Amino acid sequence: MTRLNRLLCSAFAASLFATALPSQATEITNSAVLEHYSNVVYASYSDSIAAAREMQAVIDAFLAAPSAESLAAARKAWLAAREFYLPTEAYRFYSGPIDDAQGPEARINAWPIDESYIDYVKGKAKAGIINNPKVAITKDKLKSLNEKGGEENVSTGWHAIEFLLWGQDFNAKGPGDRQFTDFIDGKAPNADRRRQYMKVVTGLMIEDLENVAKQWMPAEQNYRSKFVAGDKESLKKALTGLGVLTRGELAGQRMEVAMDTQNQEDEHSCFSDNTHRDIIGDVVGMQNVWEGRYTGKDGKTLEGASLKALVAQKNPAVADLVSADILQSLKLANEIQAPFDQEIIGKKDAPGRKRVQAVIDALKKQGKDLVAAAETLGVKRLSTKQP
C-alpha cells in the first residue's frame, strides 16, 4: 500500500469514527429550563380554558333546553374539560398565580364540598344558596360566599358544577343521577335560580382560569417574567409543585384520607365518579413538568429543556430513577377501577384497596426520589408536604 493510500485509509477511518460519536450536547441551563417550563404552563392553561369554553357552550345549550340528552351532553363535556385542567395542578403549591394570597385556586377546585351549601340534598329540600331567594346569584356574591364560614362551604368551581350536573351519588355502581327536570320551571322549585347558578359559576371559573393564564403569557411584565429570571429559587418552586402534589396532596390528602375513612365524601370527584381520572391526570401533569414535554389539545407536542435533563447533567441515575417512578405511578393509577368509592371499601387485603395502596406507595417513593433530584441541583430540604 502506498503512503498516499495509507493516508487516505486513515482519513476515512477517522471520519467513520467521528460520525459514530454523538456531537457534544449543549449544556442545559437553569434559564432554559425555566423558560420551557413557563411555555408548558401557558400551553396547558390555554388548553384548559379552551376545553372549559367548549363545556360552557354545551352547558348553555342544556340550560336553554333541558332534557335527558342535553344533560348527558353537559356531563360528557365536563368530563372532557376536566382532563385538560388536571395536569395544571402540577403548577401549584409554591404561591404562584394560581394559589398565592390572591390566587383563585380555592374558587376553581376546592373540595370536599358540603353540597347542601349550594342546593337541596336528601332530607333537606330547601337547603342551599339556590333555594334561598334572599341571596342574589351573581358572580361577586358567589365569590364572597366561597368557603365563607368553613372550607367545605364551597360555592364555585369544578365540583360545584359537577354537583349541579350529577347531584348526590347514592349509586354504588355509578355516579349521581340528578334529573334534568331540576332545571325546568314548574317541575322543580327554584329551577330558574338553578339555571342561573350554573351559568354564573361556569363563567366565573373560566374567568379565573383566564386570569391565571395571563400571568404565564410570554413577553409580558407578569409573574412569568419574574419566574424565568428567578434562577435556583424558581427551580425550587417548580420542584416544590411536583413534590407537594406527589406526596402531600395526591398520596396524602386525596388518597390516604379516603383510604382511612372509607368515606365517599372524601373522594375528589364524588358526584361524577371521576376520581380515578383525577389521579391519572395529576400524574400526567407531573410527567409533563419533569420530562419537559406536553401534548396539547391540538395533538402537537411541545418539548424542550427539562428538569430531568438538568438533573441528568449532574446525576443521570437519579434523573432516570424519577422518570421510572412517574411511569410506575402512572401505570398503577391506570389500574385503579372505577368507581373509586368502591375501591377504598373493605379490609386491608381487599383487591381495590390493594390497588389504591399500590399507587400511594409508588407516589411515596417518587416523592423521596424527587427530594434526591432536588439535592442534585443544590435545592436543599425540598418540601413534599402541603404548605
Side-chain angles (χ1 to χ4, degrees), residues 57 96 214 216 249 259 276 306 339 364 381 384:
K214 286 176 184 176
W216 289 101
E249 181 70 12
M259 285 280 278
H276 62 299
S306 65
K364 285 181 178 179
R381 295 183 296 276
T384 60

Side-chain angles (χ1 to χ4, degrees), residues 232-241 379-382:
K232 189 178 289 187
E233 187 59 33
S234 291
L235 287 178
K236 182 178 181 179
K237 290 178 179 179
L239 287 161
T240 297
V379 176
K380 304 297 183 183
R381 295 183 296 276
L382 179 74

Side-chain angles (χ1 to χ4, degrees), residues 149-163:
E151 289 186 353
E152 293 188 8
N153 290 342
V154 176
S155 59
T156 65
W158 284 106
H159 299 295
I161 300 169
E162 179 195 11
F163 171 56

Side-chain angles (χ1 to χ4, degrees), residues 168-276:
Q168 289 178 287
D169 180 8
F170 298 114
N171 180 6
K173 296 182 179 180
D177 190 27
R178 183 190 289 273
Q179 298 300 296
F180 71 89
T181 49
D182 275 0
F183 296 85
I184 297 178
D185 294 334
K187 296 289 187 179
N190 297 307
D192 57 334
R193 287 175 59 82
R194 195 166 290 110
R195 292 195 304 273
Q196 178 68 4
Y197 197 109
M198 175 78 89
K199 194 171 188 69
V200 171
V201 79
T202 303
L204 175 59
M205 187 180 74
I206 292 171
E207 180 181 303
D208 281 335
L209 285 170
E210 288 173 337
N211 288 334
V212 173
K214 286 176 184 176
Q215 290 299 314
W216 289 101
M217 191 178 293
E220 298 286 341
Q221 292 301 310
N222 53 10
Y223 180 86
R224 173 185 177 137
S225 63
K226 298 174 184 176
F227 180 86
V228 172
D231 198 48
K232 189 178 289 187
E233 187 59 33
S234 291
L235 287 178
K236 182 178 181 179
K237 290 178 179 179
L239 287 161
T240 297
L242 286 180
V244 176
L245 179 59
T246 295
R247 180 61 187 97
E249 181 70 12
L250 185 54
Q253 186 67 25
R254 300 190 186 184
M255 300 180 72
E256 285 181 319
V257 171
M259 285 280 278
D260 182 52
T261 65
Q262 300 194 32
N263 189 339
Q264 179 195 54
E265 293 294 315
D266 287 322
E267 69 163 321
H268 199 186
S269 294
C270 66
F271 311 115
S272 62
D273 277 348
N274 194 56
T275 302
H276 62 299

